[in-house]
Amino acid sequence: LGNSVLALEVSDVYGGISKSACLYYYATGTKSQTEAGLPDLSEALIEQTVAAYPQGEKYPKHIANCINGMKDMIAWSEGLGMEWEPGWIDGEQKVAMCLAPKGSQESGNSYRMLSVAEDFYNDVFVANGGEYLFGTAITGLVMEDGRVVGVQVNDKAKDNDVTTGTPHFIKARRGVVLASGGFGMDVAWRVQHD
């Protein structure tokens, strides 16, 4: 990481709601999949994803960048020591378009998959000097001269309610990365910002 990194988390644990999710990572052509003899089906995965999302045809380049970026993210995490394996169907058939952290699947179910991944990323984050502020809801981005310079937060927000807590301003030295997750399901927000 190299820089001071502060992660603001509205929940009381790192990883938020994602940590309890039971999902696979959708990628193809990764090292573990290639070693398992599975083909790189990137184009097919892109086509399926474009077709599956409402108005996906408007954003084929964005979808392709996300899918190809996932392959890069998997390779990056492997460089940090994360081990992956192809996703399973019924505990037997390996799937060419998804994967999970090694050992996180049980009887074809990735019941601990995101928990394993979040724990790994947390260990890397903390080992490299990352710090958390839990119970901290971001209520706004602070701009100066057309540039985001920090965030407005409510510290100690109660029950993830951004209207509760104590307001503070946190100034960024080098930048702000917004990784809020979950916003993809908020159609009104996406329409407003598309």
Side-chain angles (χ1 to χ4, degrees):
L1 298 170
N3 296 310
S4 296
V5 178
L6 180 64
L8 308 177
E9 176 62 66
V10 72
S11 73
D12 59 353
V13 296
Y14 63 85
I17 195 70
S18 296
K19 191 165 191 232
S20 63
C22 178
L23 301 168
Y24 287 100
Y25 279 67
Y26 284 91
T28 182
T30 66
K31 178 182 165 191
S32 65
Q33 292 162 318
T34 301
E35 288 174 352
L38 297 170
D40 183 341
L41 300 175
S42 295
E43 292 305 314
L45 183 55
I46 291 166
E47 288 174 18
Q48 288 179 13
T49 305
V50 166
Y53 281 92
Q55 301 186 2
E57 71 280 355
K58 288 174 132 180
Y59 309 102
K61 288 182 183 177
H62 175 72
I63 290 170
N65 287 339
C66 289
I67 288 170
N68 291 325
M70 182 60 71
K71 188 188 319 185
D72 293 341
M73 190 279 302
I74 297 296
W76 169 79
S77 69
E78 288 172 332
L80 294 172
M82 182 75 163
E83 295 182 77
W84 296 90
E85 62 188 4
W88 300 347
I89 294 177
D90 297 328
E92 295 176 14
Q93 182 182 351
K94 293 179 176 136
V95 180
M97 291 190 186
C98 66
L99 64 162
K102 191 169 187 173
S104 68
Q105 301 175 95
E106 185 174 287
S107 302
N109 181 358
S110 62
Y111 76 104
R112 320 177 300 123
M113 195 218 60
L114 283 179
S115 179
V116 170
E118 291 288 346
D119 290 346
F120 175 82
Y121 297 134
N122 174 67
D123 292 347
V124 170
F125 181 71
V126 171
N128 285 279
E131 298 179 52
Y132 292 98
L133 284 181
F134 295 109
T136 304
I138 297 175
T139 58
L141 300 175
V142 179
M143 307 274 295
E144 285 180 9
D145 299 321
R147 184 173 173 263
V148 176
V149 296
V151 293
Q152 184 69 38
V153 302
N154 280 352
D155 190 18
K156 307 295 182 213
K158 183 178 179 184
D159 298 323
N160 296 341
D161 181 354
V162 298
T163 63
T164 64
T166 307
H168 295 284
F169 168 67
I170 298 175
K171 183 163 181 67
R173 284 193 302 229
R174 296 202 172 173
V176 172
V177 176
L178 184 59
S180 60
F183 69 86
M185 298 305 289
D186 187 340
V187 176
W189 186 90
R190 286 184 301 145
V191 167
Q192 178 184 354
H193 298 296
D194 272 348

